[in-house]
Amino acid sequence: MAIAAAAASSSSSLFPKYPCLSRNSPRLPQSLRFSSTIRAVTLQPAKSERNQTLELEGDLFSCPICYEPLIRKGPTGLTLGAIYRSGFKCRKCDKTYSSKDNYLDLTVISGLKDYTEVKPASTELFRSPFVSFLYERGWRQNFNRSGFPGPDEEEYFKSAQGGLLVDVSCGSGLFSRKFAKSGTYSGVVALDFSENMLRQCYDFIKQDNTILTSNLALVRADVCRLPFASGFVDAVHAGAALHCWPSPSNAVAEISRILRSGGVFVGTTFLRYTSSTSLTGRVLRERILQNYNYLTEEEIEDLCTSCGLTNYTSKVQQSFIMFAAQKP
C-alpha cells in the first residue's frame, strides 16, 4: 500500500496517486480541458472531469457556501505547515478563509464578528475544552464497554488506497493520525466542528514528527456543509460520530455528495437498541437517549440507501455498530 512518488524531486504533486499532475506540469488551454470524454476515461476512469481539473489546478478545498473551488495563496501541499501559511478565497462569494491555532476554518460562520451560533447540546458538549482534553484520556476508552470495535476499519478502505480520505468529526484525531501514519493515502483531512478538539488533535500530532510532516490537514467544518467539490473525495470516515450530528440525514447526504464514484463511507455509532434488546430495555433507552440521534440498524441502512449509497454492510457488537456503504 505504497504511495507513488512524484515525477520530479523539485515538484511533488499534491495528490501522489496521480504523479503526472505536478504543479509544474503544463496546463491545458481552457478550451481543451473538457474537450475529450475519451481522454478523461482513459486517464482517470474513477474520477469525473471536474475532479480531474481540480487536481490539475491543485484546488483541494471548496467554499462551504457555494461549493466553488477556493483560490489558494501560499505554499502548496497538504501538510499542516503549508495549510497554516496559506490563505483561501472563494472565486464566487469573495469570502476569505484562513488558519487559526493550526487549523483551517472552513465553516460558513468563519470570520463573522457579530453573529454567534449555538448548536444542539450533543454538539456543544464536544466544543468544551474539558471534554476535548479528556477525550483520549479516558472518555473514548469507555466505549469498549459498549462494544466499540476499535480502529479496525482498514479492510473497508482498500478501494481508497492512494486517494484522499476525510475523517469527519475526527475529535482529537485518534483515527486521523492512524490514517496519516499508515502512508496508505495521498492525503488525510481531519475535520471537526469543535475548535478545542482540533487543538487537542494538533497537540497529539506535534508529538510525532512522522505525522507532523505527513499530508495531514486540520480543518474546522460543518458536516452538513462539507468544503469539498462534488465527487472529489475517495473515502469518508466517521468514528463514533453520527449520533452527535444535529441532522444525520443532511450529513449523510453531504457525504454522499462529495464521494467519487466507487468512494466509500465507513462509520461507527451507538445504536438506540438492537434486535436483541427487550421491550423494557427499549423504552428505557428511548427515554435516556432522547437528546441524541441514536438510530437503529434499520434506520442507518435506510438513511444510507436513501442518500444514494449502495453495497451497505454492517457489524454489530453489543450497542455499537460499524457500517460501510459505497457511492455507485
Side-chain angles (χ1 to χ4, degrees):
M1 297 189 290
I3 301 175
S9 59
S10 61
S11 177
S12 59
S13 172
L14 178 61
F15 292 91
K17 187 177 181 181
Y18 310 106
C20 62
L21 301 181
S22 67
R23 69 186 183 207
N24 289 332
S25 297
R27 291 190 178 183
L28 294 173
Q30 184 69 32
S31 60
L32 298 178
R33 288 187 185 177
F34 296 95
S35 62
S36 174
T37 303
I38 296 177
R39 174 180 174 275
V41 172
T42 302
L43 288 177
Q44 301 184 49
K47 299 277 185 176
S48 66
E49 290 185 16
R50 173 172 171 76
N51 201 347
Q52 178 183 335
T53 303
L54 287 171
E55 289 172 356
L56 181 64
E57 296 178 352
D59 294 326
L60 172 60
F61 300 113
S62 294
C63 175
I65 299 172
C66 66
Y67 297 129
E68 284 295 309
L70 295 176
I71 301 170
R72 179 174 179 176
K73 185 176 181 181
T76 60
L78 193 60
T79 62
L80 288 172
I83 295 295
Y84 183 73
R85 294 194 299 272
S86 296
F88 297 83
K89 185 176 181 179
C90 179
R91 293 180 171 97
K92 188 174 182 180
C93 300
D94 202 36
K95 183 178 174 68
T96 59
Y97 301 90
S98 59
S99 295
K100 177 182 179 182
D101 295 337
N102 295 293
Y103 64 82
L104 174 63
D105 193 339
L106 293 180
T107 59
V108 173
I109 59 176
S110 171
L112 298 186
K113 297 179 180 179
D114 299 322
Y115 177 82
T116 58
E117 189 170 79
V118 178
K119 294 287 186 178
S122 57
T123 300
E124 290 296 315
L125 175 66
F126 294 99
R127 297 181 70 185
S128 160
F130 180 68
V131 172
S132 300
F133 178 81
L134 289 179
Y135 195 66
E136 279 189 52
R137 298 173 175 89
W139 183 294
R140 189 73 180 247
Q141 288 76 359
N142 288 329
F143 289 5
N144 293 330
R145 300 174 184 174
S146 301
F148 182 59
D152 303 324
E153 287 93 337
E154 292 93 338
E155 60 183 287
Y156 296 103
F157 290 120
K158 289 182 180 179
S159 63
Q161 292 177 9
L164 176 67
L165 184 149
V166 178
D167 187 17
V168 298
S169 299
C170 67
S172 56
L174 176 65
F175 285 92
S176 303
R177 303 193 305 272
K178 187 175 185 296
F179 292 138
K181 197 168 185 176
S182 71
T184 303
Y185 311 99
S186 60
V188 175
V189 177
L191 183 150
D192 205 289
F193 188 77
S194 169
E195 308 91 324
N196 285 304
M197 281 293 188
L198 291 169
R199 293 184 185 109
Q200 283 296 317
C201 187
Y202 178 73
D203 286 343
F204 284 118
I205 289 172
K206 68 183 181 182
Q207 297 173 21
D208 190 333
N209 288 332
T210 60
I211 304 178
L212 193 59
T213 57
S214 65
N215 283 335
L216 171 63
L218 300 183
V219 174
R220 183 178 184 236
D222 189 334
V223 70
C224 292
R225 299 292 297 184
L226 293 172
F228 303 96
S230 298
F232 189 76
V233 175
D234 296 278
V236 174
H237 173 259
L242 186 147
H243 56 278
C244 295
W245 293 343
S247 175
S249 59
N250 287 339
V252 175
E254 265 294 87
I255 290 169
S256 179
R257 179 187 67 79
I258 68 171
L259 281 174
R260 66 166 174 82
S261 178
V264 63
F265 169 40
V266 179
T268 54
T269 187
F270 289 103
L271 293 170
R272 188 159 70 244
Y273 52 75
T274 67
S275 56
S276 61
T277 306
S278 66
L279 180 59
T280 302
R282 294 187 182 195
V283 173
L284 288 174
R285 289 183 66 82
E286 290 271 10
R287 179 167 297 183
I288 295 172
L289 305 177
Q290 60 183 343
N291 291 326
Y292 290 85
N293 287 311
Y294 289 101
L295 305 180
T296 64
E297 300 172 58
E298 295 77 16
E299 287 175 322
I300 294 173
E301 181 175 5
D302 190 28
L303 178 56
C304 290
T305 302
S306 69
C307 291
L309 301 175
T310 60
N311 299 327
Y312 180 87
T313 183
S314 65
K315 180 173 63 176
V316 176
Q317 297 184 25
Q318 298 181 48
S319 61
F320 224 88
I321 185 172
M322 176 189 291
F323 62 91
Q326 194 173 39
K327 183 72 174 289

